[in-house]
Amino acid sequence: MTKLLSLGELLIDMLPQDSHNTAYLPIPGGAPANVAVGYAKLGGNAAFCGGMGDDYFAKQLTDALKQYNVGTEYLFTIENAQTAMVIVSLDETGERSFNFYRHNTADLLLTPEHLQQIQWDEISTLHFCSNTLTSIAIANTTLSALKQAKSHNKLVSFDVNLRYSLWHNIRDIEPNVRACYAHCDIIKLSRDELNFLAEHTSQSGDEYLQSLLELGVSLIFLTDGPEPATVYHKKFNVSEAAPIINAIDTTSAGDAFIAGVLYHLNHYNETLLPIDKLNNKQVIKDALSFGLRCGSKACLSKGAFPALPVLDDVL
């Protein structure tokens, strides 16, 4: 079984329709939802778990997941709650900035009771991001999911994916993120995120990475924009440069990258046990290369779900 369960926010991205950000189009998005769609578009079996409002956007979101063959059996409608929204603005290089509209929205109202419906024997991998750590209730739900996944011996992937404006107190970020590390097998960080987190523990970046490995994390994927990405393991490091492209929109690049990594780990070298894959340098090098190609392909189109590549594009 190689089914991915992606936990977190499913929301509406308001994407600019011109270079001056004067007109916007509502498009389904949310980092964990992007990963589920990215995994499914590559040919994997994926489902999404999260809260959805009972507003105008609910059908659009559900239909979008179904369109890309993402399971919605764990997508829960929260009565009298609205769907979160984010205004995405692009600069002249395609880099994006975010303005979130997310106060007591449906994605924050998922509870441990909802998680009781998950059939863990059907799941191989749980993936999540830090946006479900920004308030006490949803952070507790997230930690409950991590503990359940580990108790069922599932692979747990964490794309830290910080959105600083979502946090009431910026000093809460590092301890809340750190509380998850001990339950994770794979962590993805950007260079900027690493620098921020390390600074808030008075450590260097290298010291911070080492502290994660000492907590039991198997692999840390560190991306650095157009610079080479590196994977850190207790016994080895591997690096590779991303393909050179002319980016149009980087909105879903990181999500495409981690979707590609997880797809490769779950679908290649199937004679190896998951734990053996995580300790195999060549397997990890190949997964890194595959993820970088996925991330690069996603930069060549606007939007989130539509921009995520299919397997033939990557190969």
Side-chain angles (χ1 to χ4, degrees), residues 99-113:
N99 189 3
F100 284 85
Y101 294 81
R102 187 175 180 247
H103 176 69
N104 208 35
T105 47
D107 57 304
L108 298 173
L109 301 177
L110 192 74
T111 67
E113 287 69 31

Side-chain angles (χ1 to χ4, degrees), residues 69-184:
N69 298 313
V70 174
T72 58
E73 61 267 33
Y74 306 124
L75 176 58
F76 301 99
T77 298
I78 310 297
E79 292 185 2
N80 301 315
Q82 292 185 323
T83 299
M85 183 182 301
V86 56
I87 306 295
V88 183
S89 299
L90 301 175
D91 66 17
E92 61 275 6
T93 67
E95 280 297 330
R96 69 268 193 263
S97 58
F98 304 93
N99 189 3
F100 284 85
Y101 294 81
R102 187 175 180 247
H103 176 69
N104 208 35
T105 47
D107 57 304
L108 298 173
L109 301 177
L110 192 74
T111 67
E113 287 69 31
H114 290 119
L115 303 179
Q116 293 176 7
Q117 299 189 37
I118 297 175
Q119 300 296 314
W120 288 105
D121 59 336
E122 298 178 353
I123 307 297
S124 66
T125 306
L126 176 69
H127 176 76
F128 73 107
C129 303
S130 67
N131 288 351
T132 49
L133 303 175
T134 57
S135 64
I136 293 174
I138 193 61
N140 287 340
T141 299
T142 301
L143 282 170
S144 178
L146 304 187
K147 292 173 183 178
Q148 289 182 40
K150 294 314 293 182
S151 71
H152 288 87
N153 299 313
K154 306 305 178 183
L155 189 73
V156 177
S157 163
F158 182 16
D159 182 356
V160 176
N161 198 28
L162 293 176
R163 298 290 177 256
Y164 303 101
S165 63
L166 291 178
W167 296 79
H168 298 296
N169 187 339
I170 204 166
R171 295 187 179 184
D172 291 337
I173 296 178
E174 201 285 329
N176 282 26
V177 168
R178 178 170 289 272
C180 299
Y181 291 150
H183 308 290
C184 298

Side-chain angles (χ1 to χ4, degrees), residues 9-24:
E9 70 276 10
L10 175 65
L11 46 74
I12 291 293
D13 285 335
M14 300 297 288
L15 292 183
Q17 296 304 291
D18 57 45
S19 59
H20 300 289
N21 300 306
T22 59
Y24 293 84

Side-chain angles (χ1 to χ4, degrees), residues 128 130 133 143 146 150 156-162 173-189 193-194 196-198 201 203 208-220:
F128 73 107
S130 67
L133 303 175
L143 282 170
L146 304 187
K150 294 314 293 182
V156 177
S157 163
F158 182 16
D159 182 356
V160 176
N161 198 28
L162 293 176
I173 296 178
E174 201 285 329
N176 282 26
V177 168
R178 178 170 289 272
C180 299
Y181 291 150
H183 308 290
C184 298
D185 301 289
I186 296 170
I187 291 174
K188 175 187 169 293
L189 286 164
E193 289 164 348
L194 172 62
F196 171 88
L197 294 167
T201 57
Q203 293 177 294
Y208 194 84
L209 292 172
Q210 186 59 38
S211 73
L212 269 58
L213 295 173
E214 290 172 356
L215 284 171
V217 176
S218 295
L219 300 171
I220 306 168

